[in-house]
Amino acid sequence: MSGTELNGGGQAEAVAKAGPAGGASFLKGVAFDQQMIVLLLFAAIFLAFSLLLPGFFTVGNLLTLMRTVSVLGILGLGMAVVVIGRGIDLSMIASLAVPSAVVLMLASKDYGIATSLLCGVSLAVAIGVLNGFLVAYAEIPSLFTTLAVGIGIAGIGQSGLFEYEIVPWPAQLAAISWIGQGSLLGIPYSVLAFIAAAIIVGIFMRKTRLGAFIYASGDNPNAARIAGIPVRPILMLQYIIAGLVAMFAGLVLSASSSSMDTRIFNLTWIYDVILVVVLGGIGLSGGRGGVINVIIGTLLIGTIVNGMTIMNVSFEMQNLIKGVVLLAALSIDSIVNPRNEETAQQGDI
Amino acid sequence: MSNTLTKLRYRYWPDHVFGELLQKQWMETAVPLLVLLLTIAFFSSRIDNFISVANLSDTLRQASELGFVVLGMSLVLIVGGIDLSVASVFALCNLTALYCINVLGLPTPAVIALTLLLGAVLGAVNGVLIGYMRMRAFLTTMVTLIVYKAIHDLLNFQLAVAISSVVPDVPAWDFLGNGDFLSIPTVVWVFAIVAIASHIFLTRLRPGWYVMAIGGNRRSAYNIGLPVNRVVAMSYMASGVFAATSAIFYASRLASPGADTGKGLEITVLTAAILGGIRLGGGKGSVTKAVLGTLIILIITNGLLRLATPAGAARLILATILLLAATLDIRWFKNRHKAVQELYVSPSYLELPQSPPTGASSPFALNDRLRAVEQIGLGEVESPEDVILDREDNLYCGSRHGEIIRFFAPDYKRMEVYARIGGQPLGMAFDAGGTLFVCVGGMGLYRVNPDRTVEKVTDETNRSLLSVVDDSRLRLADDLDIAPDGRIFFSEATIRYEMHEWPTDSLEGRGNGRIICYDPRSGKTHTVLRHLIFPNGVVLASDKESIIFAESWNCSIKRHWFAGAKEGTTETVIASLPGYPDNINVSSDGNYWLALMGMRSPAFDLAMRKPAFRRRMSKRLPGDEWLAPNINTGCIVKFNEKGEILDALWDLGGLNHPMITSMREHKGYLYIGGISNNRIGRIKLEGADPEFVSSGRYNV
Amino acid sequence: MIGLKKIGMAVAMAATVLTGGIAHAQNSMSDPARAGYYDNLKGKRVVFVPVFMGLDLTEGWSKMMSRQADKLGYKYEVRNSNFNTAAGAQTITSLITEKPDVIVVQNPDVQSYAKLLAKAEKAGIHVIQLNMKTNVLTTGFVGADVEELGELQAKEVVAHCGSGTSGKVLVLAGPPSSPFSAYMLKGYENILNKSPEVKVVSVQSTGDYESAKAKSITQVVLQQHPDLCGVLGVWDNTDVGTAAAVKEAGKSGQVFVSSSGGGGELACKGIEEGMWQHYVSYDVPGQARDLNNLILAALQDKNPVGTTKTILYTPLVIYNKDNIKNQFCWTLDTIR
């Protein structure tokens, strides 16, 4: 995830430019980087479960698996945009819960779907702007900014905006409840939502100028600034995208479970989101990786959780096993692609 | 009238203190301290008894518990990492401590030892992964957070019932969490001791410096051979031990094996550290900051709870305070040095007497006598501020490269490096034994023994009580002379600036300099005179009980008695010179040679009476556009102890030796040095004593 | 347990007599107890320390406590620990120095506050525990007998998933260390262990009563066991997720879901919309009434704190399709 590996996120062109990238390569032409490690790990676990667990490798279960992690995956996409821009957004859970709960609340009071959605979107954008402004202009580290903003947004959610902290999915929104419920050609809509979000984010990051700017400013903000990229507005854009993606995930989640539990902010979900992103090979130091990494990370987590639920492993044991697997993935990467003092970036945690 | 006011204002209003205060390292802590005071003020105005003994003791008890974890986190942050796993380490240690005391019934010391050991082991896992395997701190500790938490939950599920069903009666154990010593909670005592020890560790001990160095620049630390991996690993281990310490007190106080023990602790702790001003990314932070941050976060959360603020509003307020405090601190951190730059230079009012005329009828009458100067070592020396000759007639001078150069008699064509000092040698003096004493800019007073070994004589003096700037270190030792009893009197031109910043000191025109005495009998150094305006040349007067010294920007010569009937008094010898006096040395006829390094100009003299103008200039213009005194052309004058000018030597066209900072009479010749010259000058003195040797006169 | 219930009822009756027993006197005459009663209550202070606010249970209790306080002129305030046990402990610690007359506390678990609550009682503050109790008994406890709750739910599920069905049952639980969840599991076990025909296919924790988690667990289990017969849900708010999973799988009506909760509007809505077929209510308005009575008793208690210790288990009410028309499902607006 550091300078040694230049080819995160299917960046074939980066590999081509860098030639045989740094780090040990077992297989000729295949960089044995974290993305690869996680992919192999995923394949191994998937294969093991398929062979050993009756009922795992069925279409139905695989769709269930995808459905379980689709919201996590969508959140991961938003987080990926920020992480690629060398930031982190801990307020995503708050901006998942509150704007979508606002939509549900307004809709239940007969404000109409469009108005409700518009209000929710405005709130999500406002959160993104606030985050972006504080990071870009006040220059507070993103870790701290988004932490504090997240607390604040959760506070707004608790200030009597909603009657209860669990906001039910109102009948007025029945017209759009399909985004979390039901399925198309047997594929649940929530999975389709994840796929759609992945495609949109992927095209945005890879094919548009703004996406390229985000990579550039994440890779080396100073160079990007010198090159004339408006680094600060680009930073704000990242957080706005993250806010919007989070709200979308919130709508899918609340449609799916027929309610929005705003207490979700209290949970440690955000760590899962970061894991999905970073495990897939998107470096926290920015500028590396892409949508494919999020998908790989999501699939790994989803497979582990699904398999263990089938095996009726307890919640705590699931967490333990999940953690150990993740630790193993990180260790293998560190052994195969050792970082040294020359490649490590200062202040890169 | 307004002139008087200006004088009074600049005499008594301590302009210079603000810049000096701002420059202090501990001013980095100003914002957290301010935030702390504001929060205390706010909550004590809203809540009755907020500052009562009982409440204070409660707050401190909790602050100390939290403080341990913050200290650990700070250490890890300073070394350039982050430790999110503290929350789970805390929870696991809490559970272990409770299991050991409640279920196993171990004695208290064993419980403490076991829990600390567990903390160390859990921390060491992070340490090995991050320090030795070079994994990323954020991710790794996040995963260990999850793993440790899962282990805690699994164990808690099985042990909680057993723990809950016993209420042990162990006074020593209860004393930890609930006890008081001298009516201050035990935990506060322990925390105070640990915090002070950590402070000493970070600021005074070698391993602490390693931590700071690695955090500051890991690559450099590695390249100079610091054990980077080990230090990083140890920091994580320490963080684990700190979390365990906190858990012990928590366990003793609440005896709670709750499922969500430590939940969100990592966030609270991180928040405290950042609020205190400890930076993510390493190298910046201190124990004081950690403690301040802890107190701020605890007072805010406690205060909001006591105000019975609704949860939503409480979170909003907390978020707002966090963001405001962080913004303030970051702005402060980024702009402090700019503020220092603007505020540090603080010109004062300096009214110089009328400059004496230099016309044909005056004693300063211009001439071209220095045009005949012979040049020694042209192009081979740089910056010979002072020159001196030994009894064998060899010539010595300093150089910009931090060396003392010796030219061999009789023709001074051959030269060698006599000694390497390391800093720019300024004034020099031989004692009777042939030891050369040298004032070295930025280093202090040194001596070169006859066997050419270089030794430090002194680089510090007594700290004055009211000075904000640490004036115990010598910044610009300038010139010296040796009294018959061996005492060395030397001048320190300024305590506020480094040597290369002398033009800025001239712009201030304040008494920033002093005369210092080193006594070889006691080995002690003490300050003799303070508040002198750039004291420069120093020479022992003929009565051997006083020194005559020059104040450069004051354009005056003064005399100070250090012994005899007039001991302790100071008199002005020459109140006004037409230029800036530099070194003074004796002449063979019992008078004194004085170098004027540059001549006054009416514009600069006027500026010295306009401090506001100079301040504006220093704030608005870049440094290289500021006014500076002329030191391009000067002269040598001879004066007597009554202050009369007896002779003047000039090089009007500036062809041969225009810039003069020192001169030394030796066997009928005058040897001339200049700090911006690339040569030494020599001129034959008509009628001078051909046997006169200036060095080591008195202390034979 | 019955004995305890009787004591509780006696206390409740005593309080009722005190508050309103004199209303029917025919001739005008001042009640000698009346003035003292009101004066005594003036300026007293009751503090509620819930684990959370913003959910029907706590909002309901709090509303009724606050209403009685307003009526009788004592002070009532809420110190929300917002799902943070450490914050709750901090609150109680500072309350011990503030010395209110009564602390009403909802415990996050069986042990966390135990030591502090004992300390508070020692300092002369009445402590009334609400719905989740610690292993330290204080002035009072009001709440459901969770074991009984579990037994009621399990009995119904066993009855439904007997012979002729697959007998497969999914058990959803709360946080593993929460006594509420643990006692409930005990209640399930009491019944399920005696019912060999029922097969528990999975026991999973929904974390902190997360409905999303309940949904994904149910989905996975339904995938593995399409013939799932019953679900023992943990709480109505959580089981919204369970029901959504059942509905999405197209198994509405085939899977028997039993849930429980405070009997708020969600309970009725759930039965009516077929989210769950069986619901055990611990009747928040009833609990709040018990609570108010205990508060009044404590405020009037002249004995040293801790002399009397009262437990009031809430009578449980079963809601199902057949009786739902006659059930009262409260909302914050209708609660009295």
Side-chain angles (χ1 to χ4, degrees), chain A residues 290-321:
Chain A
V291 165
I292 187 78
N293 304 66
V294 179
I295 295 174
I296 294 173
T298 312
L299 285 178
L300 177 65
I301 300 251
T303 308
I304 298 174
V305 172
N306 178 278
M308 287 193 294
T309 310
I310 293 176
M311 289 189 281
N312 195 16
V313 176
S314 74
F315 178 57
E316 297 72 36
M317 206 45 154
Q318 283 192 16
N319 277 338
L320 183 61
I321 294 171

Side-chain angles (χ1 to χ4, degrees), chain B residues 462-525:
Chain B
N462 52 318
R463 173 93 154 82
S464 41
L465 272 180
L466 292 175
S467 171
V468 178
V469 168
D470 182 0
D471 62 355
S472 64
R473 290 279 154 181
L474 303 182
R475 284 183 110 160
L476 185 43
D478 203 330
D479 194 18
L480 73 160
D481 209 348
I482 304 170
D485 58 4
R487 276 192 285 175
I488 298 172
F489 288 89
F490 60 102
S491 59
E492 189 187 18
T494 172
I495 57 167
R496 273 170 65 83
Y497 293 97
E498 303 299 332
M499 191 169 78
H500 67 276
E501 294 170 311
W502 64 264
T504 318
D505 189 76
S506 78
L507 208 60
E508 289 202 340
R510 182 187 293 98
N512 291 333
R514 51 194 179 164
I515 298 285
I516 298 166
C517 170
Y518 166 74
D519 192 336
R521 291 164 300 190
S522 63
K524 292 252 165 65
T525 310

Side-chain angles (χ1 to χ4, degrees), chain A residues 27-51:
Chain A
L27 306 161
K28 205 175 179 183
V30 178
F32 204 68
D33 59 11
Q34 185 170 338
Q35 180 191 343
M36 203 58 189
I37 293 166
V38 173
L39 195 61
L40 291 177
L41 197 64
F42 161 67
I45 294 176
F46 191 86
L47 208 66
F49 280 169
S50 305
L51 294 176

Side-chain angles (χ1 to χ4, degrees), chain A residues 2 10 22 49 54 78 101 116 129 134 145 187 194 202 238 252 283 317 348-349:
Chain A
S2 64
F49 280 169
S116 314
V129 168
L134 289 170
T145 304
I187 304 172
F194 176 39
Q238 294 160 22
V252 173
M317 206 45 154
D348 173 24
I349 48 177

